[in-house]
Amino acid sequence: MRYLILSLVISCWVSAPSVAQRAPADTLHAPAAALPGVYADPHLAAFGQTYYLYPTTDGTEGWLSTSFTCWSSKDLVNWKSEGVILDLPRDLTWATQRAWAPAIATRNGKYYYYYSAAQSIGVAVADKPTGPFKDPLGKPLVAKGQFQGQTIDPMVLVDDDGAAYLYFGQGMCHVVKLNPDMISFDPAAVVEFKPAGYNEGSFALKRQGKYYLMWSEYDTRDPRYSVAYATADSPMGPFVKALGNPILKGKGVVKGAGHHSVMQIPGTDQWVIAYHRFKIPGGNGYNRETCLSPMRFDAQGNILPVDVFEPVQKTSIKTGKSRTVRP
């Protein structure tokens, strides 16, 4: 009997679930959105001692927004509205609605704001990250129908040598080197390609000499909306899709996590990914909210899966120090 009891005790101890197994991660209470209200397709950037977010204004079926806003922060957590920085009916002669998916780059002391409008891509220029932005062309930078796929979702990578590369396109990815003026390019030099699973929202970054091209898969109205990536030795490719994709996707109460941007905190190897998810509660592909999460790399340079339930770090650019902020 003694041996039977001892055997049962050992058996129960070996088969008992661990603490982690008994207490699975909470996927019902997501961190709060970074911005109040409904905003999507966020582009996150750091200029000087300030962080900036440039999102799509959401909340209309068919994505019929007509203006863009800018938000600023000193710590990635507390965001201040800088107001409307580009109003299509007021500031453009060639588009009045469908203001989508902006991006920003700086070069030679100017700020260049790239955006989708009327299913074309425009560019505006300002002396400050908060504008006012002016249309230098009076027409699209890339016109609807000029290339395969839908002409939306621009992103510009400025390389270490100062050369700038424009990525864009839904259904087909395009990349081209911009001219030094940042508002023109040679159409004959555009490279078209489509990584497996590619849909839209391309974003490029460079880390330790390697180029990363990221994009969103599925449709933004699909709860499976997610982010994958490929790598290359050149900003023009060819890009090879990585293993371990997607690196960003919904889980639990978080649905439709995608259409992102990535920012390196200046002076560090800390990275933050900005993205949207269906608004919680009751959101959908037309009612999305902007979120921030840490993004990390392993020792081989692979992007690790992002935890959409991990709080963003409250970080000052000036010090580079951070502390965890509770959701």
Side-chain angles (χ1 to χ4, degrees):
M1 177 65 73
R2 181 186 305 167
Y3 298 107
L4 177 60
I5 292 173
L6 181 59
S7 176
L8 288 172
V9 169
I10 293 173
S11 175
C12 290
W13 177 77
V14 171
S15 62
S18 67
V19 172
Q21 289 173 322
R22 290 198 305 268
D26 179 6
T27 60
L28 298 178
H29 301 89
L35 302 180
V38 284
Y39 294 94
D41 315 328
H43 185 99
L44 179 63
F47 301 121
Q49 303 302 318
T50 306
Y51 302 105
Y52 296 92
L53 271 170
Y54 301 88
T56 295
T57 304
D58 219 17
T60 58
E61 188 164 343
W63 310 291
L64 299 177
S65 56
T66 62
S67 63
F68 292 104
T69 59
C70 172
W71 300 73
S72 65
S73 174
K74 294 295 185 179
D75 61 11
L76 287 175
V77 173
N78 300 291
W79 291 91
K80 170 191 172 185
S81 174
E82 298 290 349
V84 172
I85 59 171
L86 188 70
D87 181 89
L88 304 193
R90 180 193 67 199
D91 299 327
L92 302 185
T93 59
W94 53 272
T96 59
Q97 61 181 7
R98 293 187 169 88
W100 305 339
I104 194 166
T106 185
R107 191 178 185 188
N108 300 325
K110 297 285 187 179
Y111 295 88
Y112 298 88
Y113 188 71
Y114 302 87
Y115 56 92
S116 310
Q119 294 164 294
S120 296
I121 290 172
V123 59
V125 186
D127 294 323
K128 300 185 298 181
T130 54
F133 285 89
K134 301 297 182 183
D135 178 7
L137 299 178
K139 63 180 181 179
L141 172 63
V142 190
K144 180 180 180 180
Q146 190 174 352
F147 299 97
Q148 292 187 66
Q150 191 171 193
T151 309
I152 59 173
D153 298 355
M155 187 275 159
V156 169
L157 170 69
V158 179
D159 209 345
D160 300 333
D161 61 0
Y165 299 86
L166 171 68
Y167 302 80
F168 65 93
Q170 189 271 337
M172 181 69 71
C173 188
H174 307 77
V175 58
V176 66
K177 185 177 180 179
L178 289 171
N179 292 329
D181 63 8
M182 298 289 281
I183 60 172
S184 65
F185 63 91
D186 178 4
V190 172
V191 174
E192 299 182 335
F193 60 102
K194 185 172 182 176
Y198 179 92
N199 183 37
E200 62 188 7
S202 56
F203 187 90
L205 65 93
K206 185 180 183 181
R207 178 182 182 268
Q208 298 181 0
K210 182 185 293 186
Y211 296 87
Y212 295 76
L213 177 69
M214 310 173 76
W215 63 85
S216 292
E217 302 191 338
Y218 298 101
D219 184 270
T220 190
R221 293 163 291 190
D222 191 324
R224 297 173 297 171
Y225 200 53
S226 51
V227 171
Y229 79 100
T231 60
D233 295 325
S234 162
M236 300 286 290
F239 288 93
V240 178
K241 191 171 183 179
L243 301 175
N245 279 307
I247 58 91
L248 176 74
K249 63 179 181 179
K251 180 171 65 174
V253 71
V254 175
K255 309 292 185 186
H259 204 127
H260 73 300
S261 61
V262 176
M263 181 199 69
Q264 181 179 13
I265 295 174
T268 75
D269 194 30
Q270 299 176 56
W271 298 76
V272 178
I273 185 169
Y275 56 96
H276 69 239
R277 70 189 183 201
F278 288 4
K279 184 180 182 297
I280 301 174
N284 54 30
Y286 302 112
N287 293 276
R288 303 160 296 179
E289 56 190 3
T290 287
C291 303
L292 303 177
S293 293
M295 191 185 86
R296 301 179 178 90
F297 298 80
D298 68 13
Q300 290 71 46
N302 302 305
I303 300 176
L304 297 173
V306 174
D307 182 358
V308 293
F309 286 85
E310 182 180 2
V312 72
Q313 297 290 315
K314 187 175 184 181
T315 306
S316 164
I317 294 178
K318 190 173 295 184
T319 64
K321 296 180 180 179
S322 61
R323 64 180 180 84
T324 300
V325 178
R326 299 290 180 186

